[in-house]
Amino acid sequence: MRRPLRVAASILAADIAKLGEEVRAADQAGADWIHVDIMDGHFVPNISFGPGTVKALRPHTNKPFDVHLMIAPCDPYLEAFAKAGADSITVHVESGPHVHRSLQAIRALGKKAGVTLNPGTPVEMIEPIIDVVDLVLVMSVNPGFSGQAFIPFAVEKLSRLRALIGSRPIDLEVDGGITPEIAPQVAQAGANVLVAGSAVFKGGTPESYRTAIAALRNAAAVARGEAA
């Protein structure tokens, strides 16, 4: 069965000085998930949020928190993010030698387990673990910064992953440079969760967030044959 279409608002592009307000605005504007990028300045060349941020933001929305760990090692922090309010925790296949163990640990914490592929990481890397994930995230930019341009090869990678996933109940997510112009390409390739940061928050007002999320959702829905 086809997975439902979701738009995940990435708060990396939000106004950091008023994150709680921004999360509430994204929720009210129609975002299905709140995407939280965790960066350590080591695995990626930037530093963003920690478990304390997730905990502080949790009361501002009931929408799922999609926590993307761009950190290495990740295992020492899984429990902290789970307790802080993450609904799903996604780790990079490149972030350590024991990604299977990490995914098992996430599930043991009662959270959905995701695995991420960087642009240069082949699809084959996750074949051995496909049956222990709830989500596969394809990076369509190099991780670390918001506002980058979409890498076209991600479309082919999504198609191959959709074939690998088959009928398994796994969400296929794409993150990086997603706009209403790119949304149809990734949706046709099989992505059902579209992460958008700059495309959502660039307008700076709740009204602009609602317009941006609706444009992304409609563009993807048309490509999936779910809207005219």
Side-chain angles (χ1 to χ4, degrees):
M1 183 178 294
R2 178 186 282 190
R3 305 291 292 172
L5 178 63
R6 307 291 190 201
V7 176
S10 174
I11 62 171
L12 189 65
D15 185 341
I16 304 301
K18 52 178 184 179
L19 268 186
E21 183 179 332
E22 291 280 72
V23 166
R24 293 195 303 273
D27 177 339
Q28 294 165 10
D32 300 293
W33 296 357
I34 304 299
H35 187 82
V36 187
D37 286 314
I38 309 299
M39 304 178 183
D40 63 359
H42 168 68
F43 184 67
V44 293
N46 201 359
I47 297 174
S48 62
F49 313 118
T53 306
V54 174
K55 183 178 180 179
L57 293 175
R58 186 66 279 183
H60 291 272
T61 180
N62 291 320
K63 296 288 177 68
F65 273 9
D66 179 32
V67 175
H68 174 199
L69 300 186
M70 289 175 269
I71 63 177
C74 61
D75 290 359
Y77 303 97
L78 298 177
E79 184 175 2
F81 280 105
K83 288 182 175 179
D87 293 282
S88 60
I89 300 175
T90 302
V91 298
H92 278 250
V93 69
E94 312 91 349
S95 66
H98 304 296
V99 67
H100 188 280
R101 178 185 295 164
S102 302
L103 295 165
Q104 286 182 313
I106 294 167
R107 283 187 159 184
L109 290 164
K111 307 300 179 180
K112 291 186 177 181
V115 65
T116 311
L117 295 172
N118 278 333
T121 305
V123 169
E124 290 76 14
M125 289 290 288
I126 68 164
E127 286 185 19
I129 56 172
I130 194 66
D131 288 313
V132 293
V133 301
D134 302 291
L135 180 154
V136 177
L137 171 57
V138 171
M139 292 304 300
S140 46
V141 298
N142 283 294
F145 299 94
S146 182
Q148 299 181 67
F150 179 80
I151 297 173
F153 179 69
V155 174
E156 179 182 336
K157 185 178 277 189
L158 288 165
S159 295
R160 292 171 61 195
L161 282 163
R162 177 48 64 196
L164 174 63
I165 290 169
S167 61
R168 296 176 179 88
I170 296 173
D171 287 307
L172 182 54
E173 186 173 20
V174 60
D175 181 3
I178 304 302
T179 65
E181 293 72 35
I182 297 295
Q185 300 178 45
V186 297
Q188 287 176 341
N192 69 289
V193 182
L194 278 56
V195 179
S198 299
V200 169
F201 290 104
K202 66 181 179 182
T205 68
E207 294 76 17
S208 68
Y209 302 167
R210 182 176 300 279
T211 299
I213 290 170
L216 286 163
R217 189 186 309 282
N218 185 66
V222 169
R224 284 162 55 100
E226 298 172 351

